[in-house]
């Protein structure tokens, strides 16, 4: 890399990128703007300026999303050359991905589930800091929550029904779905499939 953003403009470049991307920037994004590897390393030595989150993803602490930050970091790691808005605009594309399983349930409002970051991607791949699942999702399987692509209530229930976890924890999600009127007891049982009995035993029978 032969050129570099001049030092007086460096902070502005980084902050402008992060401000348009919910506080996050990535190595490919910085390089594309003319920020050299040396400058990136120098910035990360001042964590208040740029904090490394691993896998080439960085946070500008002053712009951190305190509520949804971990979910956005997971999405950013799936496609570090793109911005979050671009990832959200094409969640089912070859380079896309969707928050799923526990992550989706939490974003839909499920209480007290184990904090596990899961994503569903269209082709098998390794991604650090999360559990990837490979599946071909239909458009109806994906909804937007706080600007992030997330599996729908029905798809989340289907996925959790086939993931090894404690039935009582899974029942908290199903209880929420029934209470909110998103699913009937019978539909939940159908979607849960092999884990229906282990989950629904913790719930009162639907009246």
């Amino acid at each position: 890399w032969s050129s570099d953003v001049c030092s007086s403009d460096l902070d502005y470049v980084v902050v402008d990128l992060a401000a348009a991307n919910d506080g996050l920037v990535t190595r490919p994004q910085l390089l594309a703007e003319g920020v050299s590897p040396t400058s990136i390393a120098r910035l990360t030595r001042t964590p208040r300026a740029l904090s490394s989150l691993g896998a080439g993803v960085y946070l500008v602490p002053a712009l951190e999303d305190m509520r949804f930050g971990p979910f956005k970091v997971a999405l950013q790691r799936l496609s570090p050359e793109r911005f979050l808005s671009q990832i959200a605009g094409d969640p089912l594309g070859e380079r896309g991905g969707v928050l799923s399983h526990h992550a989706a349930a939490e974003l839909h409002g499920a209480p007290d589930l184990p904090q596990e970051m899961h994503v569903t991607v269209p082709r098998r791949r390794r991604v650090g800091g999360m559990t990837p699942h490979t599946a071909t999702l239909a458009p109806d399987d994906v909804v937007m929550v706080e600007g992030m692509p997330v599996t729908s209530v029905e798809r989340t229930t289907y996925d959790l029904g086939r993931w090894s976890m404690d039935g009582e924890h899974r029942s908290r999600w199903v209880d929420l779905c029934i209470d909110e009127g998103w699913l009937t007891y019978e539909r939940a049982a159908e979607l849960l499939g092999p884990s229906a009995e282990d989950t629904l035993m913790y719930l009162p029978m639907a009246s």
Side-chain angles (χ1 to χ4, degrees), residues 23 25 36 41 47 73 88 97 99 110 114 126 137 148 150 158 163-164 174 176-177 186 200:
V25 291
S36 71
V73 170
L99 295 162
R126 288 185 179 181
L137 298 177
M148 296 173 286
V150 177
Y158 177 92
W163 181 250
S164 178
V174 177
L176 171 70
C177 293
E186 292 74 19
L200 298 176

Side-chain angles (χ1 to χ4, degrees), residues 26 28-29 76 78-83 86 95:
T26 70
Q29 291 164 4
Q76 187 66 85
L78 291 177
S79 190
E81 73 282 359
R82 298 193 295 166
F83 293 97
Q86 295 171 314
R95 296 180 300 161

Side-chain angles (χ1 to χ4, degrees), residues 73-80 95-98 119 121 125 127 130:
V73 170
L75 287 172
Q76 187 66 85
R77 283 178 172 162
L78 291 177
S79 190
R95 296 180 300 161
V98 177
V119 294
V121 293
R125 56 188 295 193
V127 282
M130 67 193 92

Side-chain angles (χ1 to χ4, degrees), residues 11-126:
D11 288 344
Y12 293 107
V13 170
V14 174
V15 170
D16 282 351
L17 285 172
N21 199 47
D22 296 323
L24 302 177
V25 291
T26 70
R27 185 177 181 86
Q29 291 164 4
L30 291 168
L31 293 174
E33 291 295 320
V35 181
S36 71
T38 301
S39 292
I40 295 173
R42 185 168 65 248
L43 284 167
T44 59
R45 288 197 288 270
T46 307
R48 288 177 298 175
L50 196 64
S51 178
S52 176
L53 303 177
V57 178
Y58 304 92
L59 168 71
V60 174
L63 300 174
E64 182 177 6
D65 184 335
M66 299 299 292
R67 185 177 179 191
F68 299 112
F71 302 101
K72 293 178 178 179
V73 170
L75 287 172
Q76 187 66 85
R77 283 178 172 162
L78 291 177
S79 190
E81 73 282 359
R82 298 193 295 166
F83 293 97
L84 290 169
S85 60
Q86 295 171 314
I87 296 170
D90 185 29
L92 300 180
E94 186 174 333
R95 296 180 300 161
V98 177
L99 295 162
S100 63
H101 296 72
H102 296 66
E106 185 175 346
L107 286 168
H108 282 298
D112 304 322
L113 287 183
Q115 292 188 335
E116 299 179 14
M117 192 62 68
H118 293 251
V119 294
T120 294
V121 293
R123 56 185 176 84
R124 188 178 300 276
R125 56 188 295 193
R126 288 185 179 181

Side-chain angles (χ1 to χ4, degrees), residues 182-195:
W182 300 336
L183 296 175
T184 64
Y185 187 96
E186 292 74 19
R187 181 57 175 158
E190 180 182 350
L191 290 166
L192 289 167
S195 64

